[in-house]
Amino acid sequence: MARAAQKPDEDVFFSPVLLPNPGHANGWPLAVMVSSQTEARHNRASWAPTHLISIRAPETKLLSMIDLPDDRHLQLIFGDTMDPEERDAARPQAIAEAFAFIDGLPADARLLVHCLRGIGRSTALTLGILARYMDPDAAAAALHALRPDAKPNRHVVGLCDAALGMKGKLAKQALRFPAKVWKPAKG
């Protein structure tokens, strides 16, 4: 994984994870943050993302969130359950919508992925987004660097794994979280 060197004038919140990124149609360098809704709400002015993915359970509301036009704000509605049989569990369509949204990001996009009530769904989706552009081990290491206390929802990771055709390799990485210190996976 090639990590971008930070320039003095670069946004400290959205440092690119991957440069260059020829895997993205617009070369988006994975300038991404992941948080809870409370963190996003409290830091919206200083973080100033250009694009937002909000994940919330059915029958919940986003409270005073970042004001972005609809084409820059994707709202996904599914619960934090790990049981795929639950009524409000994430479905493959949500992952497809998220990946389509990512495909349309411009090169200068600063993406914030957040979820209501914890960080399980947002860190899981972010792991899936990272894994679109790097191998699962590198994606997991990048997620740990972005959010050391990540606790990816394993069901959502499993959906990302299936969508990416990784045959359990990404799901295996989710088992390594949470981790205080990230150690490379043993081959």
Side-chain angles (χ1 to χ4, degrees):
M1 169 178 67
R3 179 105 174 134
Q6 188 170 343
K7 299 172 193 163
D9 61 342
E10 186 176 70
D11 186 330
V12 296
F13 298 116
F14 293 93
S15 295
V17 173
L18 189 63
L19 280 178
N21 186 8
H24 188 275
N26 299 319
W28 179 60
L30 303 177
V32 61
M33 286 181 67
V34 59
S35 76
S36 70
Q37 180 182 348
T38 301
E39 293 166 322
R41 201 170 64 238
H42 289 292
N43 296 296
R44 65 183 178 252
S46 60
W47 289 355
T50 62
H51 293 77
L52 181 64
I53 296 178
S54 300
I55 306 169
R56 62 185 176 87
E59 301 170 12
T60 61
K61 294 182 181 182
L62 295 175
L63 305 172
S64 62
M65 277 308 298
I66 298 155
D67 188 25
L68 289 173
D70 289 343
D71 64 331
R72 292 178 176 222
H73 185 187
L74 175 64
Q75 292 191 49
L76 299 174
I77 301 173
F78 56 85
D80 198 20
T81 182
M82 290 192 234
D83 181 355
E85 301 302 318
E86 287 286 326
R87 182 178 55 88
D88 67 344
R91 303 284 180 236
Q93 179 60 28
I95 305 307
E97 288 176 37
F99 288 176
F101 183 78
I102 297 301
D103 289 344
L105 293 178
D108 62 349
R110 295 182 322 239
L111 175 67
L112 173 59
V113 181
H114 80 92
C115 60
L116 180 61
R117 298 186 181 138
I119 59 170
R121 292 165 292 167
S122 59
T123 56
L125 182 59
T126 301
L127 180 60
I129 292 167
L130 293 167
R132 294 183 81 202
Y133 307 102
M134 55 187 72
D135 68 64
D137 190 46
L143 176 62
H144 187 267
L146 289 169
R147 190 70 194 214
D149 59 340
K151 298 174 187 172
N153 176 299
R154 290 188 175 109
H155 171 60
V156 175
V157 173
L159 291 173
C160 291
D161 188 295
L164 297 169
M166 293 193 163
K167 300 180 181 174
K169 292 177 184 169
L170 190 61
K172 184 178 177 182
Q173 290 299 322
L175 299 174
R176 299 177 65 197
F177 289 93
K180 291 185 183 203
V181 176
W182 194 258
K183 296 177 183 173
K186 294 179 182 176

